[in-house]
Amino acid sequence: MGEGGEGMVSDAKNPAKESSPKLTLFPLIALIFYEVSGGPFGIEDSVRAGGGPLLALLGFLIFPLFWCIPEALITAELSTTFPDNGGYVLWISSAFGPFWGFQEGLWKWLSGVIDNALYPVLFLDYLKHSFPIFNLLAARIPALLGITASLTFLNYRGLHIVGFSAVSLAVFSLAPFLVMGILAIPRIRPQKWFLVDFKRVDWRGYFNSMFWNLNYWDKASTLAGEVENPSKTFPKALFGAVVLVVGSYLVPLLAGTGTLDSPSEEWSDGYFAEVGFLIGGLWLKWWIQVAAASSNMGLFEAEMSGDAFQLLGMSEMGMLPSIFSSRSKYGTPTISILCSATGVICLSWMTFQEIIEFLNFLYSIGMILEFAAFVRLRVKKPDLHRPYRVPVGTIGATALCLPPTLLLVLVMCLASAKTFVVSGVVIVVGLVLYPIIVHAKERKWVRFETEPVLPSHIGGPTGQSDGSKVGKEVVDEAAIGLLSDSPQSELGQQMSDISSEILKLE
């Protein structure tokens, strides 16, 4: 390690990173909201697949208890423990070594890119109800390319711009549903919420819809290095996002299903626009359609940010060539953004259901590994500095992970044979690609980081840091406490463990 800590040396070499504005609380809440949800657009299928309103409403009440809250708590602890870009790749590498960290990175990046390929398609699907020209392939393809290119450029311009754009989009996208809920109050008949026809329940579609609309809480961890004071900001942002996501689903579902007599078969993607028309009139329908299109823009921006900064983090760890960690003058990872955008364009031919099922499967594999890493780090490294700690012991940590793990296994078991085959191919590619990258690094075929970049909350080799440098380079208050309080031997051991187990390919 270089003098003063490799993390600090790395920052000195990246003035764009040092000067780029950090994410604060509300932009981070908005980004998490869009990484997970983006509003109620797409939850209509839960009513159809559930054979009526009852299972859909119960799902969005119960699933958060067994899935959203545990994942958010675990993300809060591990993101503040490893407040650097790369997120879950760092967690897995610390717990199980760089081989599994690389596999996790591949699975989660690919699932994110597949997920992002969905949003330009949904954008046009809402607009085609008012502009039928987008049903034509000759108009649809240029529109998809134009949307992807323009949103990619916005991502390139800076994460703080994406964050504040997400705040504006969230307010605009949720406003019509708040209005719809208020207008529906005099007409709501609560007995309609309890309707269900179990003969019409599509369990595979139901669980996939629930899971897709409530996952990706861990995605924001890949931006941890871009967050101002992550030890305080992350837990607050995750809590706020949980409340916002659940509320954004329940309010329009309660309003629509409690007011209308529509059969469950009519509840499909885009039906909330019709619900708005029946409750408020044509003006509300148009508002919802524009809000849906805007929401898909926010979803795209948040997902691409997470995917791109994940690649940047993996590059800084030495897992990918150093070109992926190069930053623009705006502090954004240019090559990583272009790589993610290319993946989006190449995968936009897949159907809606194929996208959901395939990304859910890859995401489930990665999440099982994350839960295992959470428990293993509690056992293997009980003294690891945790600015935010889930208030449970080892047994409690295991119990916290058990219900969501069972849900993940259920979602994977419901996948089609095609999904099993395609996911198997992806897994094999990852197993083969890792030794190839190691060999390329050893032979110096491409340039990698000369030394792995340690997490920014680890100080120099003496365990002490110059006060001015700490104030400049380590924005996390809890991290400053670690630098000043840790004895030399303990910090040296911690750096040795992280550098050997997290950040080295060999």
Side-chain angles (χ1 to χ4, degrees):
M1 240 181 75
E3 189 174 333
E6 180 65 31
M8 292 187 179
V9 172
S10 176
D11 286 347
K13 293 177 181 178
N14 288 281
K17 177 181 179 180
E18 183 179 332
S19 62
S20 58
K22 295 287 186 179
L23 284 172
T24 52
L25 179 62
F26 289 109
L28 184 59
I29 290 176
L31 280 175
I32 295 173
F33 171 71
Y34 274 113
E35 282 163 348
V36 175
S37 166
F41 313 104
I43 68 170
E44 300 99 327
D45 277 338
S46 64
V47 178
R48 179 192 57 78
L54 181 62
L55 289 183
L57 292 170
L58 285 177
F60 289 117
L61 281 171
I62 296 173
F63 270 66
L65 299 177
F66 294 99
W67 175 250
C68 300
I69 293 176
E71 189 183 359
L73 288 172
I74 291 168
T75 299
E77 176 172 318
L78 294 177
S79 294
T80 55
T81 303
F82 301 97
D84 288 83
N85 299 325
Y88 34 73
V89 180
L90 274 168
W91 315 342
I92 303 303
S93 299
S94 181
F96 300 112
F99 174 82
W100 289 110
F102 179 84
Q103 306 306 318
E104 170 83 0
L106 176 65
W107 301 336
K108 298 301 282 286
W109 178 79
L110 187 56
S111 71
V113 171
I114 294 170
D115 183 48
N116 222 14
L118 182 66
Y119 302 126
V121 175
L122 286 177
F123 183 97
L124 293 182
D125 282 346
Y126 273 93
L127 291 183
K128 72 182 182 182
H129 292 289
S130 300
F131 303 98
I133 189 174
F134 290 120
N135 284 309
L136 301 176
L137 203 60
R140 193 174 182 84
I141 291 177
L144 284 173
L145 293 175
I147 292 168
T148 302
S150 58
L151 295 180
T152 299
F153 177 75
L154 181 60
N155 225 286
Y156 163 78
R157 281 301 309 271
L159 191 57
H160 67 292
I161 294 179
V162 173
F164 282 107
S165 298
V167 173
S168 303
L169 289 171
V171 172
F172 179 76
S173 299
L174 294 178
F177 294 100
L178 181 61
V179 172
M180 185 174 75
I182 294 172
L183 293 176
I185 290 175
R187 300 167 54 183
I188 288 178
R189 300 295 178 266
Q191 63 269 21
K192 294 181 179 181
W193 295 334
F194 298 94
L195 297 177
V196 61
D197 184 354
F198 285 101
K199 294 180 181 179
R200 294 181 177 273
V201 176
D202 172 15
W203 291 110
R204 176 189 290 178
Y206 173 76
F207 279 106
N208 271 315
S209 177
M210 284 290 158
F211 188 68
W212 179 64
N213 282 293
L214 291 169
N215 63 13
Y216 283 98
W217 293 96
D218 61 332
K219 195 69 179 182
S221 68
T222 61
L223 308 170
E226 313 301 313
V227 175
E228 181 178 322
N229 195 9
S231 66
K232 290 187 175 181
T233 306
F234 251 104
K236 292 178 182 178
L238 284 162
F239 174 78
V242 168
V243 174
L244 188 60
V245 167
V246 174
S248 72
Y249 288 164
L250 288 177
V251 169
L253 271 181
L254 289 169
T257 59
T259 302
L260 306 181
D261 295 316
S262 308
S264 60
E265 304 85 62
E266 292 187 11
W267 284 80
S268 58
D269 183 37
Y271 189 66
F272 269 127
E274 188 64 24
V275 173
F277 173 73
L278 295 173
I279 291 177
L282 186 62
W283 64 273
L284 188 54
K285 176 182 179 178
W286 272 80
W287 191 1
I288 291 175
Q289 284 182 332
V290 177
S294 302
S295 177
N296 282 298
M297 292 170 58
L299 286 161
F300 184 98
E301 291 297 297
E303 183 65 59
M304 176 163 283
S305 295
D307 294 339
F309 277 94
Q310 178 194 319
L311 293 182
L312 179 146
M314 292 177 71
S315 177
E316 290 180 339
M317 295 176 222
M319 289 185 174
L320 293 174
S322 58
I323 191 173
F324 287 97
S325 61
S326 61
R327 291 178 181 254
S328 68
K329 62 182 179 180
Y330 305 108
T332 49
T334 309
I335 301 300
S336 295
I337 288 175
L338 291 175
C339 187
S340 297
T342 302
V344 168
I345 293 172
C346 293
L347 293 168
S348 58
W349 55 270
M350 297 175 68
T351 67
F352 183 83
Q353 286 300 324
E354 283 177 335
I355 287 176
I356 290 181
E357 191 172 303
F358 184 36
L359 72 87
N360 279 352
F361 194 94
L362 288 177
Y363 185 83
S364 296
I365 299 173
M367 279 309 307
I368 291 174
L369 204 54
E370 286 180 33
F371 290 145
F374 173 66
V375 175
R376 181 170 172 80
L377 286 172
R378 282 294 190 95
V379 175
K380 181 182 176 184
K381 299 183 179 181
D383 298 326
L384 189 65
H385 183 66
R386 294 172 170 88
Y388 172 82
R389 181 185 178 95
V390 180
V392 294
T394 303
I395 296 176
T398 305
L400 181 68
C401 295
L402 189 57
T405 300
L406 293 176
L407 175 62
L408 292 168
V409 172
L410 175 61
V411 170
M412 292 170 67
C413 289
L414 291 173
S416 64
K418 181 179 179 180
T419 297
F420 273 100
V421 172
V422 176
S423 300
V425 172
V426 171
I427 292 172
V428 171
V429 169
L431 297 176
V432 173
L433 188 59
Y434 180 81
I436 292 175
I437 290 179
V438 171
H439 190 66
K441 185 177 182 180
E442 290 174 347
R443 294 301 183 95
K444 298 183 179 180
W445 290 343
V446 289
R447 183 175 175 272
F448 286 78
E449 291 290 340
T450 53
E451 288 189 43
V453 179
L454 291 177
S456 60
H457 63 304
I458 302 298
T462 64
Q464 304 293 330
S465 296
D466 177 81
S468 62
K469 286 185 178 180
V470 171
K472 211 171 172 186
E473 304 293 346
V474 186
V475 296
D476 186 358
E477 292 172 1
I480 297 174
L482 172 65
L483 290 174
S484 59
D485 296 339
S486 294
Q488 178 176 350
S489 59
E490 180 184 342
L491 182 59
Q493 181 62 42
Q494 189 180 31
M495 286 193 300
S496 176
D497 288 345
I498 292 179
S499 109
S500 62
E501 295 180 21
I502 308 178
L503 308 174
K504 291 175 71 177
L505 278 172
E506 302 84 352

